[in-house]
Amino acid sequence: MRNLLLVSTAIAMTGTAALADDVKIGVLLGFTGPLESLAPGMASGAELAMKEVSDSGKFMDGSTVTPVRGDSTCIDAGAATSAAERLITAEGVKGIFGAMCSGATTAVLQNVAMANGIVMISPSATSPALSTMDDDGLFFRTAPSDARQGDVMADIILEHDIKSVALTYTNNDYGKGLADSFQKAFEEKGGTVTISAAHEDGKGDYSAEVGALASAGGDALVVAGYVDQGGSGILRGALDAGAFDTFVLPDGMVASALEQNFGDELDDSFGQIPSSEGEGKDKFLEMATAAGFDGNQVYSGESYDAAALIMLAMAEAKSTDPSIYKEKIMGIANGPGEKILPGQLGHALDLIAEGKAIDYDGASSVNFINGGESAGTFREVEIKDGKIETVKYR
């Protein structure tokens, strides 16, 4: 009888161990390229959620979650596609957090994710075109579409009593989508866009672009570009030429690099980034500080949320198969159920195991619309004494 008990115990222990696994999730961001200064904070946000779930010991019968990084470069669709293929075929990831920029995200979704049936949740791809793109129910984003950002930016500009602007945008899906959305909203509200001109990233001299913008004129210059690339080149050229005194800066331009590179040269300029306020954001900021990074970095909270949604959906589905757990993401994000904030992922896993519903609110007040994108709130900012300061939330 004693031997039978020992054998039974051994079988039970072996069975439990067999259920535990190492679940890999891809972290596909532009670690090099025009937004490389933003990628570390975003990766830290996502990996903080993964560590929280692993440390809880409550995920998928004790499975751990391992992040595997890939570099999308943001601007090279071929490199982004190759990186995603490596994550899936060589690393065996069960989902992809990312990609980061809209063009890279579109390329990965259409060429890799759909072909392999892999879920993607981007924290930062904002092109309006992604709202209507066929995705087989595999794509979600915790960032709001630029259709909404364009409308918010138009309101902010008009509230500054600015009626006419020159507009320049980085020549890609993100820049063009945001520029078109903003111009439409601004003109419908009574504003005037004197010129809408694309600029290329990677140039050493933007004097020709600045000259055309200055000739068109306007009370301010809207720069829908990248802070680590052409957007800052435009700013430097415009400042040196004295072409504009006030600059409007959307999400791709609002980062600590702006403070470091320009200081008080941009005082009284303003803009907006997707962000939220409240208990969830406050808790995330505390956790980020404890983990050694700045949770206020753009899209850092959205990154935590994107990774958390993948893992909670897996737990709800009792499967890491994307074709199964993709069906749980909307319900996890929108409820109804007990609200879940950062730092409560272990509790969420307990509730799921008990068969109870959850409503993941997270760091960015997640609520999905249009089949899988965030409704989103925005943080209005102004530059004062060389620092980016919060004005209010919209």
Side-chain angles (χ1 to χ4, degrees):
M1 185 68 179
R2 178 176 178 276
N3 288 339
L4 180 61
L5 180 60
L6 290 173
V7 170
S8 299
T9 302
I11 292 173
M13 291 176 65
T14 302
T16 301
L19 289 173
D21 199 1
D22 179 27
V23 179
K24 294 181 179 180
I25 297 176
V27 177
L28 185 61
L29 298 173
F31 291 103
T32 62
L35 285 177
E36 61 187 16
S37 66
L38 303 187
M42 294 167 65
S44 293
E47 290 168 0
L48 180 63
M50 296 182 202
K51 183 178 187 300
E52 182 182 342
V53 164
S54 289
D55 289 351
S56 75
K58 300 172 181 178
F59 178 67
M60 305 294 290
D61 298 298
S63 296
T64 55
V65 181
T66 299
V68 184
R69 292 189 177 188
D71 185 7
S72 70
T73 77
C74 258
I75 53 174
D76 186 336
T81 298
S82 295
E85 288 174 340
R86 176 185 64 82
L87 290 175
I88 295 168
T89 59
E91 299 291 349
V93 301
K94 300 300 184 182
I96 290 178
F97 155 72
M100 184 171 173
C101 297
S102 296
T105 298
T106 299
V108 171
L109 175 61
Q110 293 184 325
N111 300 324
V112 184
M114 289 175 65
N116 291 276
I118 291 291
V119 164
M120 294 174 64
I121 303 186
S122 173
S124 55
T126 55
S127 170
L130 286 162
S131 298
T132 55
M133 190 172 294
D134 290 337
D135 59 14
D136 292 344
L138 294 166
F139 178 70
F140 304 82
R141 52 181 170 177
T142 51
S145 164
D146 280 331
R148 168 139 167 77
Q149 180 170 193
D151 190 63
V152 169
M153 182 159 59
D155 286 340
I156 293 172
I157 292 171
L158 291 170
E159 288 171 17
H160 279 77
D161 202 28
I162 292 173
K163 299 295 193 292
S164 68
V165 299
L167 167 63
T168 181
Y169 59 90
T170 183
N171 192 19
N172 61 19
D173 291 355
Y174 159 70
K176 179 63 173 170
L178 177 54
D180 288 348
S181 295
F182 162 70
Q183 182 170 358
K184 180 175 183 291
F186 192 58
E187 291 177 343
E188 286 178 350
K189 296 172 188 287
T192 299
V193 176
T194 61
I195 184 175
S196 179
H199 63 260
E200 302 295 335
D201 287 319
K203 296 180 64 175
D205 179 31
Y206 288 92
S207 57
E209 290 85 350
V210 169
L213 294 164
S215 295
D219 299 326
L221 175 61
V222 178
V223 185
Y226 291 142
V227 70
D228 293 326
Q229 266 291 347
S232 285
I234 293 284
L235 286 180
R236 175 49 58 204
L239 287 166
D240 290 348
F244 293 91
D245 297 321
T246 304
F247 301 89
V248 182
L249 307 167
D251 59 333
M253 294 297 298
V254 181
S256 58
L258 199 70
E259 299 173 337
Q260 296 162 10
N261 296 335
F262 295 96
D264 61 7
E265 290 182 281
L266 295 177
D267 276 3
D268 298 324
S269 293
F270 57 90
Q272 69 290 318
I273 57 174
S275 187
S276 62
E277 60 180 339
E279 186 181 0
K281 183 61 177 289
D282 291 343
K283 180 59 179 175
F284 172 72
L285 292 175
E286 292 175 9
M287 293 171 61
T289 298
F293 69 96
D294 180 6
N296 270 317
Q297 295 177 84
V298 63
Y299 296 121
S300 182
E302 287 82 358
S303 297
Y304 177 96
D305 292 342
L309 285 169
I310 290 175
M311 295 180 290
L312 294 177
M314 288 177 175
E316 176 72 23
K318 298 180 174 57
S319 174
T320 60
D321 183 341
S323 68
I324 298 174
Y325 78 76
K326 72 177 184 180
E327 304 295 340
K328 303 297 184 180
I329 294 173
M330 287 289 289
I332 292 289
N334 290 2
E338 183 174 332
K339 283 199 177 297
I340 299 298
L341 303 178
Q344 298 178 342
L345 300 185
H347 176 56
L349 292 170
D350 283 337
L351 293 174
I352 289 171
E354 295 167 7
K356 297 178 180 177
I358 65 170
D359 176 7
Y360 182 80
D361 211 40
S364 61
S365 302
V366 174
N367 186 59
F368 281 149
I369 58 173
N370 297 335
E373 66 187 26
S374 175
T377 57
F378 287 83
R379 177 163 65 102
E380 181 182 345
V381 299
E382 287 188 3
I383 300 177
K384 299 290 185 184
D385 298 324
K387 299 296 183 182
I388 299 168
E389 298 185 357
T390 299
V391 176
K392 63 181 178 181
Y393 289 84
R394 295 174 177 261

